[in-house]
């Protein structure tokens, strides 16, 4: 079982992007039974929390992205999404999907987002 992110690319400031996290090799009930988180790591900085979504759809966001980013999940497809809007140069970095699955703190390899001013 693994998490795989995709959707990272280069975008201009003010633009939008949707990242996808796919749970590969998961039993559906395992994915549906746990929260999914998004983190990011910018060059020279520590990895930081971005957003999370619980099994019943409750969301939480870092203050820096609140009102700009949207997190969602499609349990039937075993996928989670992070919609990035009104992007700023400081939003650039590697975005990681994360969750507690199969008694492990599971992380994907990340997807790179570049934001040009």
């Amino acid at each position: 079982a693994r998490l795989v992110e995709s959707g990272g690319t280069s975008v201009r400031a003010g633009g939008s992007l949707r990242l996808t996290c796919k749970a590969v090799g998961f039993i559906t009930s395992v994915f549906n039974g746990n929260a999914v988180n998004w983190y990011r790591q910018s060059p020279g900085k520590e990895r930081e929390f971005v957003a999370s979504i619980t099994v019943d759809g409750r969301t939480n966001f870092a203050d820096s992205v609140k009102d700009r980013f949207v997190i969602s999940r499609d349990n039937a497809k075993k996928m989670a999404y992070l919609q990035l809007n009104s992007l700023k140069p400081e939003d650039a970095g590697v975005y990681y999907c994360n969750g507690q699955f199969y008694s492990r703190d599971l992380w994907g390899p990340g997807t790179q987002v570049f934001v040009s001013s």
Side-chain angles (χ1 to χ4, degrees):
R2 56 195 177 100
L3 300 172
V4 181
E5 305 92 339
S6 63
T9 188
S10 181
V11 64
R12 300 193 69 163
S16 297
L17 199 58
R18 189 176 83 157
L19 306 181
T20 298
C21 171
K22 185 175 182 179
V24 179
F26 275 57
I27 297 173
T28 302
S29 60
V30 171
F31 180 79
N32 295 349
N34 291 276
V36 177
N37 311 303
W38 284 93
Y39 285 77
R40 70 185 179 193
Q41 187 164 19
S42 303
K45 297 185 178 180
E46 293 186 356
R47 192 173 297 187
E48 63 176 351
F49 169 79
V50 175
S52 65
I53 184 166
T54 64
V55 296
D56 56 356
R58 286 176 289 126
T59 60
N60 187 36
F61 297 92
D63 288 342
S64 59
V65 307
K66 199 172 295 183
D67 300 326
R68 297 190 297 122
F69 289 10
V70 179
I71 188 172
S72 60
R73 63 190 297 164
D74 186 331
N75 289 336
K77 295 182 178 179
K78 292 179 285 185
M79 296 176 80
Y81 308 96
L82 185 67
Q83 177 71 35
L84 288 61
N85 300 315
S86 302
L87 280 161
K88 304 176 181 179
E90 54 263 40
D91 293 319
V94 179
Y95 282 72
Y96 299 92
C97 182
N98 160 261
Q100 299 295 321
F101 300 105
Y102 295 101
S103 301
R104 290 183 290 159
D105 188 23
L106 210 58
W107 293 85
T111 186
Q112 179 85 53
V113 173
F114 298 95
V115 182
S116 59
S117 57

